[in-house]
Amino acid sequence: MKQGQLGSKMEYWKKIIILLCSGWVTIWIYRSALSPVFPQINESLGGNISDAALGSISSFYFLGYVIMQIPAGYLVDKIGKKRVLIPGFILFASAALLISQAATISMIYVGSFLAGIGCGSFYGSAYSLTSQNIPADKRSFSTAIVNSGSAVGSGFGLILSSFIVVQMKMPWQTMMYISAALTVCMLIAFALIIRSNKDDVAFIEREEAKAKAAVSTEESKPTISPAKLFAPKMLFTYVLYFATCYAYYMTVTWLPNFLGTERGFEGVAIGFSASLVAFASIPGALFFSRLADKYMNKKIQFIVVLELLAAAMLLITVQATNQVFLLIALILYGFLGKLAVEPIIISWLGENAPKVGVGTTLGVFNFFGMMSSVIAPSLTGKISDMTGSKEMGFYISVVLLVVGTVLFLLSNMKQAKKA
């Protein structure tokens, strides 16, 4: 009986990895589809839209996404992943269709905000599923596989958008129809694969543990105290994730425009070059997460080295005058950057975070990180309007990465020395 249960559980967690990876692909095809076609969106709305206003399309999406993080994490813990994910993705599909019908920039903002709320249901659900169902010695590597979906989706979104809209001259709304169709496919997959609370072994075990605790102790309802949730070690992890996300989302939002307007790239070459960051991140994520699983007591060192190297690659990217050097720096940033270090940070967080309310902890962590995604696109757009260049956006990212990494290292110095 136990053997059968184990086999079933192993089969389930493998399905979960594939499902969540596909979920990130879908989300990121939408996320990256609009930035390469900002000029076409501007033209369709009259041609008088500023860079700051175009950047705000991404900011409104991420605002909705951020607002949803803590409520979604709480709901995941209370009612289960399936009941959070399915309504969220229904809203996501509806929002993509709303954007496709937009006649004003304000309508696009509303659609982007709603899409962000819908996608905000995914993070807490996804990493609650991974933390509860994937064996500990495979968690970093498995999380890297899940995260690679965002790289695949980002790459395909950039290339498809550049090819379909820029190269083939099709309406930019076509990408929204594709996103809506993919989201419907994911809804069907969620409904078929994810277990309901009553069938979820991890959920049942948690509820039984709560019931036993209620009998044996006054602490019958485990909660995370603010002191533990915002202890220096945790707080500076949130700061580090803020810096990591700021650099990444500034890059994926404005890199296509930067390459086209300031570095001489044209047509589908813009989307292909920008997608190198995403595709290079896949082997980076798998390689470094495998190493982190092998050397489990070295995660702090992995995080610090990867973050500093990523900052160096962004610095080279913005200073390179030769297109070949620029592309090499972009590939290395993808290999060493957010998607490579994120699985290690999440794994480290799981080992050091309070042991109750996993969804809530992840929600707070992602809330801090994703706040940067609200700020970075519009701030870089404003800088571009004021200076005529987006270079300062890259320099800000480099400074934030270095500062965030130093603070994280200092808050974990004792643990790092012990390791």
Side-chain angles (χ1 to χ4, degrees):
M1 184 68 180
K2 288 183 179 179
Q3 226 175 4
Q5 287 176 344
L6 180 60
S8 175
K9 185 178 180 182
M10 292 294 289
E11 183 180 5
Y12 180 64
W13 70 258
K14 290 177 182 178
K15 288 180 181 179
I16 287 298
I17 291 173
I18 296 170
L19 180 71
L20 298 180
C21 181
S22 301
W24 279 128
V25 170
T26 301
I27 288 172
W28 272 92
I29 284 178
Y30 165 82
R31 280 186 184 176
S32 59
L34 294 180
S35 57
V37 297
F38 278 167
Q40 287 76 12
I41 294 174
N42 188 9
E43 185 180 348
S44 72
L45 298 178
N48 298 314
I49 310 297
S50 68
D51 280 350
L54 289 170
S56 293
I57 295 173
S58 293
S59 291
F60 272 98
Y61 167 86
F62 287 118
L63 177 62
Y65 187 86
V66 167
I67 287 173
M68 193 61 185
Q69 287 311 293
I70 294 176
Y74 176 81
L75 289 172
V76 164
D77 288 334
K78 290 297 179 183
I79 65 174
K81 282 77 71 177
K82 199 169 189 175
R83 291 181 180 177
V84 174
L85 273 175
I86 290 178
F89 267 58
I90 290 173
L91 180 60
F92 177 28
S94 303
L97 293 175
L98 177 64
I99 293 172
S100 72
Q101 304 303 311
T104 64
I105 190 70
S106 297
M107 194 171 176
I108 294 179
Y109 290 160
V110 171
S112 295
F113 180 73
L114 293 175
I117 290 177
C119 292
S121 67
F122 189 76
Y123 189 94
S125 301
Y127 294 110
S128 290
L129 282 166
T130 59
S131 66
Q132 292 165 2
N133 292 284
I134 296 175
D137 62 338
K138 296 180 176 62
R139 199 164 293 155
S140 292
F141 185 70
S142 298
T143 302
I145 295 174
V146 170
N147 281 5
S148 69
S150 60
V152 173
S154 179
F156 277 123
L158 290 166
I159 292 172
L160 283 173
S161 189
S162 297
F163 178 74
I164 291 173
V165 180
V166 180
Q167 196 88 0
M168 300 297 292
K169 307 297 182 185
M170 294 179 68
W172 63 265
Q173 292 89 342
T174 305
M175 290 304 300
M176 295 298 96
Y177 297 133
I178 292 173
S179 295
L182 290 173
T183 305
V184 171
C185 294
M186 287 309 306
L187 279 167
I188 296 170
F190 291 152
L192 292 176
I193 295 174
I194 297 177
R195 292 172 179 165
S196 302
N197 287 349
K198 64 180 181 179
D199 300 318
D200 191 332
V201 174
F203 181 86
I204 293 169
E205 289 176 348
R206 288 201 312 276
E207 293 305 305
E208 289 176 348
K210 288 178 183 178
K212 290 178 181 178
V215 174
S216 61
T217 178
E218 293 180 0
E219 296 177 358
S220 58
K221 295 181 179 179
T223 58
I224 303 174
S225 69
K228 290 183 178 179
L229 199 57
F230 295 101
K233 184 164 64 173
M234 300 296 291
L235 180 61
F236 290 126
T237 305
Y238 306 152
V239 171
L240 176 66
Y241 196 51
F242 176 94
T244 304
C245 290
Y246 186 100
Y248 187 75
Y249 291 118
M250 186 284 300
T251 302
V252 298
T253 299
W254 284 111
L255 180 61
N257 187 277
F258 173 76
L259 294 176
T261 60
E262 300 186 43
R263 292 299 184 265
F265 289 76
E266 297 179 354
V268 73
I270 296 172
F272 177 77
S273 301
S275 70
L276 291 175
V277 173
F279 289 129
S281 69
I282 298 173
L286 297 176
F287 175 73
F288 289 112
S289 62
R290 176 71 80 178
L291 282 180
D293 279 339
K294 185 176 181 180
Y295 303 101
M296 295 182 69
N297 63 334
K298 299 286 187 182
K299 287 179 182 176
I300 293 173
Q301 289 89 332
F302 278 115
I303 291 168
V304 170
V305 171
L306 287 173
E307 295 282 15
L308 292 177
L309 288 174
M313 292 308 106
L314 279 181
L315 186 61
I316 294 172
T317 295
V318 72
Q319 291 187 336
T321 55
N322 182 285
Q323 288 188 352
V324 174
F325 288 150
L326 188 154
L327 290 176
I328 291 172
L330 284 178
I331 291 170
L332 289 174
Y333 171 68
F335 186 76
L336 301 164
K338 174 182 179 289
L339 296 181
V341 73
E342 187 176 41
I344 305 174
I345 296 176
I346 291 172
S347 179
W348 179 90
L349 186 73
E351 295 167 5
N352 291 271
K355 299 305 179 185
V356 294
V358 174
T360 304
T361 304
L362 287 168
V364 173
F365 168 73
N366 202 38
F367 173 84
F368 272 80
M370 297 308 296
M371 276 299 296
S372 66
S373 63
V374 178
I375 299 168
S378 58
L379 178 59
T380 306
K382 288 178 182 177
I383 291 170
S384 177
D385 289 335
M386 292 170 60
T387 66
S389 172
K390 298 166 189 69
E391 289 186 358
M392 184 57 66
F394 285 89
Y395 289 125
I396 291 172
S397 298
V398 171
V399 171
L400 286 174
L401 278 174
V402 173
V403 172
T405 303
V406 170
L407 290 174
F408 174 79
L409 178 60
L410 291 175
S411 66
N412 290 280
M413 190 67 77
K414 289 182 180 179
Q415 189 175 346
K417 285 181 178 179
K418 186 178 178 181

